[in-house]
């Protein structure tokens, strides 16, 4: 699918008119600097992906991910105007700091009684289907809430509020990771579905202004190039955050495998619940 998309672009099947010199004036009046930056970052991301697939320990991958993050942010900041570079840096750092612990969370929720006697013991079908359905429905609700009541709010306020609410929602995960909900008689299924619903509404409200702000920062004449670069940096930051999340999990001794005795692996998982 990605190769097909590139083919459409290179052959100019949409028959778009080429426009140059409008989005990178400070580096010579051409889109070429942005293309070079995108190529370098793409090669770096591809190299990191190949390293992950074909070998290398986690520490090597984390170091390479950190180097790629610094290089990518530096190159993009040099190629963009200061105001766009600052916004891009904010979104990139925000996404890279959203450490992913989804791998460990999957085992936490789906391990059987022999692996984790005190665990939620959710079925894999429920975990992947029911939660996914709830996420989709409530993400749409988040869009409705934003468009109905929040689209005229100022960006600084809504970005700050979105970040704070996202942190608060992520901290709720600590309740289920420490099994506190069970002590208060709240079932795991209800708690997981309810917390995921709230998280998706908040995430959507926090995500929409990011996309709108990035689209408004795109100069006339090279909207696609600029938006692709800014959105790509956000996606790169999220992917690099996965490496740092895996590193923190290993550092805290959270390495579940689904085998018997996984209970000890989850003792420190709550420490990353706010990620």
């Amino acid at each position: 699918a990605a190769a097909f998309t590139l083919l459409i672009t290179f052959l100019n099947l949409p028959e778009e008119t080429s426009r140059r010199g409008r989005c990178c004036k400070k580096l010579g009046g051409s889109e070429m600097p942005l293309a070079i930056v995108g190529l370098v970052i793409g090669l770096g991301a591809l190299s990191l992906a190949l390293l992950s697939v074909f070998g290398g320990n986690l520490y090597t991958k984390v170091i390479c991910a950190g180097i790629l993050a610094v290089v990518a942010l530096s190159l993009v900041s040099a190629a963009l105007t200061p105001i766009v570079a600052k916004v891009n840096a904010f979104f990139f750092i925000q996404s890279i700091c959203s450490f992913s612990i989804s791998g460990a969370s999957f085992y936490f929720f789906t391990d059987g009684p022999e692996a984790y006697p005190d665990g939620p013991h959710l079925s894999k079908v429920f975990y992947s289907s029911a939660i996914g359905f709830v996420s989709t429905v409530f993400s749409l609700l988040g869009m409705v809430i934003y468009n109905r009541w929040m689209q005229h709010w100022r960006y600084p306020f809504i970005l700050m509020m979105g970040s704070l609410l996202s942190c608060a929602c992520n901290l709720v995960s600590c309740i289920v990771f420490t099994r506190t909900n069970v002590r208060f008689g709240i079932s795991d299924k209800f708690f997981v579905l309810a917390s995921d619903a709230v998280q998706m509404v908040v995430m959507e409200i926090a995500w929409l202004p990011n996309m709108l702000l990035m689209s408004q920062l795109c100069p006339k004449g090279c909207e696609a190039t600029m938006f692709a670069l800014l959105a790509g940096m956000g996606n790169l930051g999220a992917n690099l955050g996965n490496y740092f999340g895996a590193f923190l999990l290993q550092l805290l001794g959270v390495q579940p495998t689904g085998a018997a005795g996984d209970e000890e692996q989850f003792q420190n998982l709550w420490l990353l619940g706010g990620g």
Side-chain angles (χ1 to χ4, degrees):
F4 183 70
T5 303
L6 291 174
L7 183 64
I8 293 176
T9 303
F10 283 119
L11 295 180
N12 193 24
L13 296 182
E15 299 181 354
E16 294 180 339
T17 303
S18 177
R19 297 181 179 181
R20 299 181 176 275
R22 295 186 180 181
C23 58
C24 202
K25 293 183 178 179
K26 72 171 187 174
L27 291 183
S30 172
E31 293 183 18
M32 186 57 66
L34 289 181
I36 294 175
V37 168
L39 178 62
V40 172
I41 295 175
L43 291 175
L46 178 61
S47 301
L48 183 60
L50 293 175
L51 177 65
S52 301
V53 172
F54 295 108
N57 57 48
L58 180 59
Y59 294 102
T60 302
K61 297 172 187 176
V62 170
I63 292 173
C64 292
I67 294 174
L68 178 59
V70 173
V71 171
L73 185 58
S74 300
L75 288 176
V76 173
S77 298
L80 301 178
T81 56
I83 185 171
V84 180
K86 291 176 182 178
V87 173
N88 172 72
F90 171 78
F91 291 146
F92 181 72
I93 295 173
Q94 184 185 55
S95 61
I96 208 173
C97 290
S98 300
F99 306 127
S100 174
I101 58 172
S102 57
S105 298
F106 175 81
Y107 286 110
F108 176 87
F109 287 111
T110 61
D111 269 358
E114 67 284 352
Y116 187 16
D118 297 328
H121 306 152
L122 304 181
S123 69
K124 293 181 174 62
V125 175
F126 176 86
Y127 187 79
S128 58
S129 301
I131 295 179
F133 175 76
V134 169
S135 299
T136 302
V137 171
F138 280 86
S139 65
L140 295 176
L141 178 61
M143 291 184 185
V144 172
I145 292 174
Y146 180 85
N147 289 325
R148 178 64 179 84
W149 291 288
M150 306 173 70
Q151 61 176 322
H152 299 298
W153 291 14
R154 296 177 65 250
Y155 279 124
F157 177 75
I158 195 171
L159 290 174
M160 180 179 65
M161 187 192 70
S163 298
L164 293 175
L165 288 177
S166 296
C167 291
C169 288
N170 289 331
L171 287 173
V172 173
S173 301
C174 298
I175 296 176
V176 70
F177 288 152
T178 56
R179 314 305 291 131
T180 304
N181 63 299
V182 177
R183 300 189 191 102
F184 285 96
I186 304 174
S187 70
D188 290 310
K189 287 187 177 181
F190 174 80
F191 187 88
V192 169
L193 290 177
S195 61
D196 187 75
V198 175
Q199 286 179 10
M200 289 308 302
V201 171
V202 171
M203 286 176 60
E204 201 67 33
I205 291 174
W207 177 76
L208 280 173
N210 294 7
M211 294 296 102
L212 292 173
L213 183 56
M214 282 196 296
S215 64
Q216 292 173 354
L217 289 173
C218 298
K220 184 178 180 180
C222 63
E223 293 89 345
T225 303
M226 181 65 75
F227 189 84
L229 183 63
L230 296 176
M233 284 294 291
N235 293 332
L236 176 64
N239 288 325
L240 294 179
N242 294 336
Y243 290 93
F244 300 128
F247 174 73
L248 290 175
L249 287 172
Q250 180 171 303
L251 196 65
L252 293 173
V254 183
Q255 298 289 302
T257 60
D262 259 2
E263 184 175 9
E264 296 181 358
Q265 301 294 324
F266 300 123
Q267 292 181 356
N268 294 324
L269 182 58
W270 68 273
L271 294 173
L272 294 176

